[in-house]
């Protein structure tokens, strides 16, 4: 259920924000009172408010006098100056706002809000608006319609639900061409479309790998600072999740560079041309890890758990895919293996991690049909892992 007070709603394109907001406006998600919806993707509306942001406030005041209780402002990042008008209306009336968008970056640059305010969950608009996200479908939302093999290759973006492979492939390719390569430039987030196009292809190939900015800069013929800024663009537009390294260790020298995961497997496969034919074992293993890292993030975010995600790797190469921190304490160390058969050889990273952190429960998530104990590690079928996430926090 949506909050009862004003909130920002951010999410990548095609995750269903506008559809959900339309259902709110129609009263399908509970009684929210009389509402007024403004979509800044409509050119006439966009240019009217772009020329004179105060016009929005004047029209809103008239609607409020007419009994409007909720104002839904879709694609708010297109005119960051409107946030000043929204702030004034929140101060002078009892109206509540839903402010949606696919990018926090322009709001941070154009509204005076700090970067930490939007990315870290600090107060927005003087504490008068909450921060919420909308993600691609989770396995829980899809319920009996969820198919892991389909999700690994095609992702879980709402527009793909029910499409055959040909239409799904066309939809994902269109997403790549019209949004990632063109619309990001039109939004003024990058100036060099050719360079960004080369970069995004390599970013998809490096998905889930420890970042080496110098290597990517060399391969894309871009300055290192440009590569770093492009990763920031992906994070700010919610196209990628940044997974920082865990760096607290009294015994071992740890890697400190982050990893990035694209927000949807289908997008990754569209960029790396893996939408035709079956996935080979090594690729499937990487996509398995990517999907469950993202699924973990989505589940914890929707449950509003006070949590953070990390990975762990030593300078000697021992690695654990995911650490879950809740309320300032590590509560799970998780290794992902897409296979059904696992053995003690798969525990090397967790063994090294355990030397530093003997009290942290360790898990290996795989495709095994039943759970079992392997030395100090609890081996979980992936469905049981998702159930276990409901107890975190």
């Amino acid at each position: 259920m949506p909050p009862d007070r004003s909130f920002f709603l951010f999410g990548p394109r095609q995750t269903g924000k506008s559809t959900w907001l339309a259902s709110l406006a129609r009263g399908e998600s509970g009684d929210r009172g009389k509402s007024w919806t403004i979509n800044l993707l409509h050119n006439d509306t966009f240019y009217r408010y772009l020329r004179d942001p105060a016009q929005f406030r004047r029209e809103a005041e008239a609607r409020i006098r007419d009994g409007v209780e909720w104002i839904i402002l879709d694609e708010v990042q297109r005119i960051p100056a409107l946030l000043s008008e929204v702030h004034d209306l929140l101060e002078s009336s009892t109206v509540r706002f839903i402010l949606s968008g696919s990018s926090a970056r322009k709001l941070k640059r154009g509204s005076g809000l700090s970067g930490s305010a939007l990315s870290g969950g600090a107060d927005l608009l003087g504490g008068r608006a909450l921060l919420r996200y909308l993600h691609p479908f989770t396995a829980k939302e899809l319920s009996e319609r969820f198919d892991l093999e389909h999700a690994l290759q095609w992702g879980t973006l709402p527009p793909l639900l029910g499409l055959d492979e040909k239409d799904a492939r066309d939809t994902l390719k269109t997403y790549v061409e019209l949004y990632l390569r063109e619309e990001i430039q039109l939004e003024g987030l990058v100036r060099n479309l050719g360079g960004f196009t080369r970069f995004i292809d390599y970013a998809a190939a490096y998905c889930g790998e420890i970042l080496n900015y110098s290597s990517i800069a060399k391969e894309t013929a871009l300055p290192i600072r440009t590569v770093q800024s492009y990763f920031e663009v992906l994070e700010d537009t919610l196209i990628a999740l940044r997974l920082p390294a865990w760096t607290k260790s009294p015994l071992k020298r740890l890697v400190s560079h982050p990893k990035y995961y694209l927000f949807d497997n289908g997008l990754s496969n569209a960029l790396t041309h893996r939408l035709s034919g079956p996935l080979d074992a090594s690729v499937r293993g990487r996509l398995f890890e990517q999907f469950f890292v993202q699924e973990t993030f989505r589940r914890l975010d929707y449950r509003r758990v006070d949590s953070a995600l990390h990975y762990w790797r030593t300078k000697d190469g021992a690695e654990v895919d995911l650490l879950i921190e809740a309320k300032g304490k590590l509560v799970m160390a998780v290794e992902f293996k897409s296979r059904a058969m696992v053995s003690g050889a798969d525990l090397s990273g967790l063994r090294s991690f355990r030397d530093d952190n003997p009290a942290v429960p360790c898990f290996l998530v795989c495709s095994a049909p039943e759970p079992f104990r392997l030395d100090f590690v609890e081996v979980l079928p992936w469905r049981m892992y998702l159930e276990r996430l409901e107890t975190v926090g």
Side-chain angles (χ1 to χ4, degrees):
M1 290 294 292
D4 289 329
R5 53 182 285 197
S6 296
F7 63 96
F8 286 86
L9 177 67
F10 290 117
R13 299 279 185 193
Q14 301 297 308
T15 50
K17 297 186 301 299
S18 295
T19 300
W20 186 66
L21 292 174
S23 75
L24 289 182
R26 293 192 299 268
E28 296 173 8
S29 299
D31 183 12
R32 306 190 66 77
K34 190 175 180 181
S35 64
W36 176 42
T37 299
I38 306 98
N39 189 339
L40 294 179
L41 286 180
H42 297 159
N43 282 337
D44 54 346
T45 304
F46 171 73
Y47 286 113
R48 184 168 79 251
Y49 296 149
L50 183 65
R51 285 191 297 267
D52 182 10
Q55 180 63 23
F56 165 73
R57 187 185 72 252
R58 291 189 287 268
E59 294 177 12
E61 288 171 340
R63 294 277 187 162
I64 294 168
R65 288 194 294 271
D66 193 39
V68 160
E69 300 175 27
W70 284 89
I71 297 177
I72 301 171
L73 188 52
D74 202 2
E75 301 296 339
V76 65
Q77 82 283 348
R78 299 198 73 195
I79 310 179
L82 290 182
L83 286 189
S84 296
E85 308 301 334
V86 169
H87 198 171
D88 183 69
L89 289 164
L90 287 171
E91 293 283 353
S92 61
S93 73
T94 59
V95 72
R96 287 164 288 179
F97 283 86
I98 304 174
L99 306 158
S100 79
S102 56
S103 170
R105 189 177 181 89
K106 288 186 72 175
L107 291 177
K108 287 190 287 188
R109 293 188 311 183
S111 67
L113 295 172
S114 68
S116 63
L118 287 175
S119 61
D123 285 347
L124 298 172
L125 293 175
R128 289 182 173 272
L130 301 173
L131 179 60
R132 297 291 185 265
Y133 293 97
L134 191 64
H135 307 288
F137 283 133
T138 64
K140 184 177 182 179
E141 289 173 311
L142 290 172
S143 187
E144 70 278 358
R145 293 177 294 176
F146 178 75
D147 178 83
L148 178 60
E149 295 306 313
H150 188 274
L152 293 183
Q153 186 158 24
W154 299 97
T156 59
L157 281 171
L160 271 67
L161 193 64
L163 296 184
D164 59 27
E165 288 192 1
K166 180 181 181 301
D167 288 340
R169 186 179 299 111
D170 289 344
T171 299
L172 286 169
K173 287 181 177 179
T174 299
Y175 191 102
V176 167
E177 295 300 327
L178 293 186
Y179 180 56
L180 290 188
R181 302 192 194 280
E182 294 181 16
E183 191 165 347
I184 281 181
Q185 188 188 41
L186 291 175
E187 290 284 350
L189 301 181
V190 299
R191 295 186 179 91
N192 180 358
L193 184 58
F196 185 78
T197 296
R198 294 194 303 274
F199 161 79
I200 193 67
D201 290 337
Y202 277 99
Y206 273 85
C207 188
E209 300 289 335
I210 297 171
L211 284 187
N212 184 326
Y213 292 115
S214 298
S215 176
I216 298 175
K218 182 177 180 180
E219 291 172 342
T220 56
L222 294 168
I224 292 177
R225 183 64 194 107
T226 298
V227 169
Q228 293 171 329
S229 71
Y230 284 174
F231 273 110
E232 292 170 4
V233 168
L234 293 185
E235 186 177 5
D236 286 344
T237 55
L238 308 176
I239 295 299
L241 167 68
R242 181 179 183 272
L243 190 68
W246 183 266
T247 57
K248 304 172 187 176
S249 172
L251 302 176
K252 295 181 172 64
R253 295 173 62 240
L254 301 180
V255 169
S256 59
H257 294 290
K259 293 182 178 183
Y260 279 87
Y261 291 88
L262 296 187
F263 81 101
D264 180 74
N265 277 33
L267 172 63
S268 297
N269 289 329
L271 286 164
T272 52
H273 311 289
R274 293 195 295 246
L275 293 178
S276 298
L279 301 170
D280 65 48
S282 62
V283 169
R284 186 182 184 277
R286 291 179 64 185
L287 292 170
F288 186 90
E289 175 187 328
Q290 176 182 344
F291 177 80
F292 284 104
V293 168
Q294 291 288 12
E295 186 78 359
T296 301
F297 173 72
R298 297 167 190 170
R299 294 282 186 107
L300 297 178
D301 179 60
Y302 281 155
R303 291 183 52 231
R304 310 302 302 158
V305 176
D306 179 14
S307 62
L309 304 182
H310 307 266
Y311 80 96
W312 183 91
R313 183 181 172 94
T314 69
K315 296 286 187 179
D316 297 327
E319 185 172 346
V320 176
D321 292 330
L322 187 66
L323 304 183
I324 302 177
E325 181 184 9
K327 299 178 181 177
K329 178 183 178 181
L330 288 180
V331 296
M332 294 180 76
V334 188
E335 186 72 17
F336 296 104
K337 300 293 181 184
S338 63
R339 306 185 303 273
M341 301 293 294
V342 295
S343 67
D346 295 309
L347 308 184
S348 58
L350 289 169
R351 285 195 182 95
S352 184
F353 169 81
R354 191 168 181 251
D355 292 341
D356 270 3
N357 307 274
V360 178
C362 294
F363 301 86
L364 191 154
V365 176
C366 61
S367 297
E370 296 290 337
F372 60 94
R373 193 84 180 177
L374 189 60
D375 197 357
F376 62 94
V377 175
E378 192 172 350
V379 178
L380 294 178
W382 59 265
R383 289 187 184 276
M384 293 189 68
Y385 168 70
L386 295 181
E387 292 172 3
R388 185 68 63 91
L389 284 179
E390 298 299 314
T391 67
V392 172

